[in-house]
Amino acid sequence: MTEVTLAVVGGGLRGLTYARRAHATGAGRVVAVAEPDPQRRAAFAAEFGIAPELAHPGWKELAAAGRLADAAVIATHDQLHTDPAVTLAGLGYHILLEKPMATTEREAARIADAARRNGILLAVCHVLRYTPYTRVVRGLLDGGRIGRLISVQHLEPVGWWHDAHSFVRGHWRRQDTSAPMLLAKACHDIDWLVHLFGRPPARISSFGSLSHFHAGDAPEGAAERCLDCPLEPSCPYSAPRLYLGCLGDPESEFWPLSAVTPGRTEEDVLAALRTGPYGRCVYACDNDVVDHQEVVMEFDDGATCSFTMSAFTPMEHRRTRLFGTHGYIDGDGTTLRLVDFRTGEEELIRADDAGAGGPSAADGHGGGDEGLTDAFLAAVASGDPSLLRSDAAESLMTHRVVWAAERARLTGSVVTL
Ligand SMILES: NC(=O)c1ccc[n+]([C@@H]2O[C@H](COP(=O)([O-])OP(=O)(O)OC[C@H]3O[C@@H](n4cnc5c(N)ncnc54)[C@H](O)[C@@H]3O)[C@@H](O)[C@H]2O)c1
């Protein structure tokens, strides 16, 4: 297969993940990067052998150099997706764009429009569509194994420490600097559920709030930082326990530790926790995104779906129950238990034979990161868009379902799509 050349915009965690996969398989080669952090830029350029003149300090400088590669990976933060995506689409780059597409409906529509006008391939990183597990679930539904799908119950167990890391202390804690949590975290789940049903819902409602991670729930005597706090040893959200515990484990050092500090010693971690955002008490941060949310959807034929996103869980694979007219499936992200109503028999189906990893970013999202990268590079190399499990228009549609759910939550109403 032809080797696809890549320009990576944003040499952080996600940019690295896709770049490493492309090099590991040999299907792609990174030839340019845009990354403002000089340390990250130098490390990225060294790892992938990028010429110094092709290591740019930002996406604008990279775009000013014209088209440098077949495709671009856009892995900047949520609020910096639209301008690079529209500009690079205009230069003719095929684009692998991190989710969420954009933080407003108007901007996401601009991106989808730019992809259509310029005739490029644009894949949004909805990695769940690309896991071996999803392939099996879709195969069972398409093969009629449980008859007509009548309802679905789906849980996204964000995980107590992951929520504290990303959505209380970290990048995704505020709507004005990132996005509502349903968009930042669970646009994956809404996209996946729409993918299973094969169409968008007709009506949607939602409830949810920030119930725990605020000053009103702080235990008496809590300090502003974990390192000064007498309650730290018994607190579930202790930052020293979480981050010192990452040291020595390469996966945990890649994520979540590298967001906290580039250092890898106990002193580096303690220094970051003394002054940086990740050492703050979870009850004394400037976060405003929800810590739990429900979404209920109804489809045109009366089928229904309920979705729960919660911080107050272990961090695990998503869990899903699918209720059909002729059968039932209970899935935990790796294994599916199927009960066939015609025979009463049960079948256990393991879906991780492809060596898929755990649910986290460090684990590659159950094989989704690898599956997406491989599919995108194959689609670009062959010019065949059918190798992608969604295009820009489909991703825009599923993002619109997320925005409708947020409108329903904020207005206390049922939104018709
Ligand atoms: N698909 C998934 O499952 C998944 C998982 C985690 C994060 N994400 C998304 O991926 C995106 C990146 O997240 P991350 O965890 O890699 O963040 P990160 O902070 O590790 O990386 C972002 C990088 O962008 C760089 N940057 C900032 N301004 C720039 C500019 N003008 N030009 C080029 N680069 C610039 C930053 O310096 C940083 O290194 C976010 O939108 C996030 O929501 C997706």
Side-chain angles (χ1 to χ4, degrees), residues 2 22 26 266-267 283 302 309 385 389 403:
T2 330
E266 191 172 320
E267 198 34 59
Y283 307 105
M309 169 179 75
R389 305 250 162 88
W403 280 305

Side-chain angles (χ1 to χ4, degrees), residues 9-15 18 34-37 40 58-59 75-78 80-81 98-100 125 127 171-172 188 365:
V9 175
L13 289 177
R14 300 302 300 166
Y18 301 120
E35 169 56 55
D37 180 311
R40 277 191 172 184
W59 74 267
T76 40
H77 276 177
D78 300 354
L80 190 56
H81 288 180
E98 257 307 351
K99 50 52 56 177
C125 297
V127 291
H171 288 314
W172 295 274
H188 279 312
H365 297 116

Side-chain angles (χ1 to χ4, degrees), residues 382-407:
S382 62
D384 180 0
S386 73
L387 297 174
L388 298 172
R389 305 250 162 88
S390 53
D391 60 12
E394 167 100 357
S395 295
L396 175 62
M397 178 268 281
T398 70
H399 277 64
R400 282 189 163 135
V401 178
V402 174
W403 280 305
E406 267 305 276
R407 272 201 303 284

